[in-house]
Amino acid sequence: MNTPPTPNPTPESAPVLDTLAEVLKERRHASPDNSYVASLHHKGLNKILEKVGEEATETLLAAKDAEHGSAAQRQAVIAETADLWFHSLVMLSHLELDHQDVLNELARRFGISGHDEKAARTP
């Protein structure tokens, strides 16, 4: 039996997500006139989901361009993925869900075949 790889995030990755989650929490109740995050929360879940969908589409298009593209096109995938993650974190915040729960779920899946994990999900 193969031993699954141990997740080894960079030391900066967890604090970045933790710090961003704290900023999002603080800005959630700020004035919508002074905070982009507050304006999204003020507009409601549908607007936040619209942004997640928009960023997902932009990420997909950037990835398509980057497959055989330039360094700039590859960097665009990074920027678009950052936007997608950011708006996904806003969505979690709006639903009062903790990003750490997502990380825990990813960690739980280490060593589990993707096919097995998908088959084990309840419909």
Side-chain angles (χ1 to χ4, degrees), residues 35-97:
S35 167
Y36 174 69
V37 171
S39 72
L40 287 174
H41 284 292
H42 181 75
K43 292 173 185 172
L45 182 60
N46 284 345
K47 181 61 176 180
I48 295 167
L49 297 177
E50 179 183 311
K51 289 300 296 179
V52 171
E54 175 186 316
E55 298 303 341
T57 299
E58 290 174 4
T59 301
L60 295 174
L61 294 173
K64 192 73 173 155
D65 290 344
E67 184 176 25
H68 302 290
S70 67
Q73 287 170 313
R74 295 177 69 76
Q75 182 57 41
V77 176
I78 302 299
E80 293 300 344
T81 301
D83 290 345
L84 176 58
W85 289 10
F86 174 83
H87 287 90
S88 295
L89 289 169
V90 172
M91 176 194 66
L92 291 172
S93 172
H94 190 81
L95 296 171
E96 297 182 0
L97 296 170

Side-chain angles (χ1 to χ4, degrees), residues 1-6 110-113:
M1 182 171 161
N2 292 342
T3 303
T6 302
F110 274 96
I112 300 173
S113 157

Side-chain angles (χ1 to χ4, degrees), residues 27 29-36 38-39:
R27 293 188 182 163
H29 300 292
S31 167
D33 295 331
N34 297 329
S35 167
Y36 174 69
S39 72

Side-chain angles (χ1 to χ4, degrees), residues 13-28 37 41 86 89-90 92-93 97-100:
S13 63
V16 167
L17 288 177
D18 292 342
T19 301
L20 182 53
E22 283 303 312
V23 169
L24 293 177
K25 188 176 182 180
E26 290 171 12
R27 293 188 182 163
R28 180 176 179 173
V37 171
H41 284 292
F86 174 83
L89 289 169
V90 172
L92 291 172
S93 172
L97 296 170
D98 192 324
H99 71 281
Q100 187 59 53

